[in-house]
Amino acid sequence: MSMLDFDVLVTEQEQACTTRQFAEDIRAGLDRTGQKELPSKYFYDAVGSALFETISVMPEYGLTRADERVLRRHAGDLAELVAAPVIVCELGSGSGKKTRWILEALSRRERVFYYPIEISASALASCERELAQVDGVSVLGIESEYLDGLSEVAAKRKKGTHLLVLFLGSTIGNFDSGADRRFLQSVRQTLIPGDSLLLGADLVKPLDQLLAAYDDPAGVTAAFNLNLLARINRELDADFNLRQFEHVARFNGSTSSIEMHLRSKKQQTVTIARAEFMVQFREGETIWTESSHKYSADELKTVAAASGFDCKEQWIDQDWQFSESLFIAC
Ligand code: TRP
């Protein structure tokens, strides 16, 4: 067998394994007696990632641009508050665009070692490409889950070096209620006093603004949500009729979260062949796909205290209420 054949074989085995996992997760989420659900991590296939890129430039979805603005404006302030020498570790590499401002500001003092942690090899590769040419920065990508990658970096660090962890883009808001604290507590456990965490979080804002951000009139967000069903059709040989489901975004005031659902327009049965599974929907029944919690600035301070951090500074964008909080491990 040539080297090339071996590579192909490995890729096919990996594919088979992830398809099996995908089928199991879909079946588990749709087989529930109460609220049906689908894991939001499956949004991001090639089509979903392209649609999300489009969402982030839609006028109604101000979140991504606000995140970039605050980081660009306050990267210098951040560099002054973080002790040197520092290594930077990012949970989820993103496109690298936002992180550039921070790395440039820090590298004005000394060389910076930057460890993006990401489960997607392709996302990691594009981040490495984007940031590798920044002067004074060494990029060392780690392909793993967030907390495993963070422990790996923490174990390697030299005495006297500080760790700055970046968790940007308000991913924290997509955790289930209570899981945000537990996750930050786990992050804290891998750190030592004096280390920092920069946390991006979207803030609560007027209802019409929030609803438009998650249900734009051009229908890009609806297409993004519905693509999850299209992906199940493509990869698991299912027969979801996309015209018989609709995107729903609603605000749950008691949890301060936008909830995304896919609603069945009629009573129907769907077959998911590769999961060996059939599922019935009542008219109006929904599949919950993601929630996006909207914080208050004070709530973030409480979350910091509850997970072993001191909230040292908060920068908030005034055009679109979005916060960047600097937490110091105490
Ligand atoms: N995590 C993003 C957010 O909470 C993803 C997102 C944007 C999203 N628009 C969506 C998820 C619509 C589902 C449906 O902002």
Side-chain angles (χ1 to χ4, degrees):
M1 190 189 286
S2 74
M3 200 52 205
L4 191 69
D5 290 338
F6 182 71
D7 281 349
V8 170
L9 191 68
V10 170
T11 314
E12 279 173 359
Q13 274 170 357
E14 272 174 8
Q15 184 63 37
C17 174
T18 53
T19 301
R20 201 177 321 125
Q21 186 62 52
F22 184 36
E24 272 173 33
D25 290 347
I26 296 316
R27 184 177 177 144
L30 294 181
D31 207 13
R32 303 168 71 96
T33 40
Q35 174 71 62
K36 292 180 170 61
E37 60 184 57
L38 287 170
S40 56
K41 66 176 176 186
Y42 292 115
F43 275 136
Y44 301 95
D45 67 344
V47 178
S49 300
L51 285 168
F52 187 69
E53 282 283 302
T54 310
I55 288 176
S56 69
V57 294
M58 295 296 283
E60 292 83 7
Y61 191 79
L63 193 155
T64 310
R65 289 182 299 276
D67 189 13
E68 285 167 12
R69 272 195 305 274
V70 195
L71 291 175
R72 184 175 194 167
R73 192 169 297 157
H74 296 289
D77 303 329
L78 172 74
E80 279 176 23
L81 290 169
V82 173
V86 67
I87 52 179
V88 181
C89 201
E90 182 164 12
L91 310 180
S93 62
S95 69
K97 193 176 162 195
K98 304 179 272 197
T99 315
R100 175 184 288 264
W101 313 120
I102 300 175
L103 297 178
E104 283 179 350
L106 291 169
S107 67
R108 276 184 212 116
R109 315 185 299 194
E110 59 184 352
R111 171 157 287 278
V112 173
F113 291 89
Y114 169 60
Y115 297 86
I117 301 170
E118 176 63 56
I119 39 167
S120 154
S122 59
L124 200 57
S126 62
C127 164
E128 284 178 305
R129 234 177 292 123
E130 172 81 22
L131 294 170
Q133 343 89 349
V134 182
D135 276 348
V137 176
S138 304
V139 185
L140 303 128
I142 299 186
E143 194 182 328
S144 82
E145 302 272 345
Y146 294 158
L147 294 173
D148 294 342
L150 188 57
S151 308
E152 197 180 317
V153 177
K156 275 198 291 222
R157 69 146 98 183
K158 293 201 196 83
K159 216 171 163 221
T161 304
H162 287 93
L163 210 63
L164 166 63
V165 180
L166 308 176
F167 195 32
L168 309 177
S170 204
T171 303
I172 191 75
N174 299 129
F175 285 62
D176 290 346
S177 159
D180 54 354
R181 284 166 201 231
R182 288 194 295 280
F183 180 75
L184 295 180
Q185 280 161 359
S186 306
V187 170
R188 171 64 190 86
Q189 275 160 18
T190 61
L191 303 180
I192 57 173
D195 284 342
S196 342
L197 166 69
L198 185 69
L199 181 70
D202 201 21
L203 301 179
V204 72
K205 49 184 66 62
L207 191 57
D208 53 346
Q209 200 184 354
L210 271 181
L211 290 175
Y214 288 93
D215 193 7
D216 64 277
V220 181
T221 306
F224 174 71
N225 202 4
L226 284 162
N227 176 59
L228 198 46
L229 303 183
R231 180 176 183 184
I232 299 171
N233 285 350
R234 287 190 292 268
E235 294 182 25
L236 300 179
D237 196 12
D239 61 359
F240 278 102
N241 179 347
L242 265 61
R243 296 192 193 282
Q244 296 301 344
F245 286 86
E246 62 193 350
H247 165 68
V248 180
R250 54 187 183 222
F251 188 69
N252 181 335
S254 63
T255 57
S256 188
S257 301
I258 285 276
E259 291 179 358
M260 262 66 72
H261 293 258
L262 289 160
R263 181 160 58 206
S264 175
K265 292 188 190 173
K266 61 169 192 183
Q267 185 183 328
Q268 53 186 322
T269 302
V270 174
T271 304
I272 305 168
R274 295 187 72 179
E276 294 168 11
F277 177 58
M278 282 167 86
V279 52
Q280 294 194 358
F281 295 94
R282 296 184 309 273
E283 182 182 342
E285 183 174 6
T286 72
I287 310 170
W288 170 54
T289 55
E290 182 159 89
S291 290
S292 194
H293 178 68
K294 302 303 167 187
Y295 291 87
S296 73
D298 281 345
E299 182 186 3
L300 286 160
K301 293 179 186 157
T302 311
V303 170
S307 43
F309 292 97
D310 187 31
C311 184
K312 177 139 188 180
E313 192 66 72
Q314 266 183 337
W315 297 284
I316 295 173
D317 188 76
Q318 290 313 318
D319 290 339
W320 178 279
Q321 290 281 304
F322 186 96
S323 63
E324 231 58 81
S325 306
L326 179 64
F327 291 180
I328 309 288
C330 43

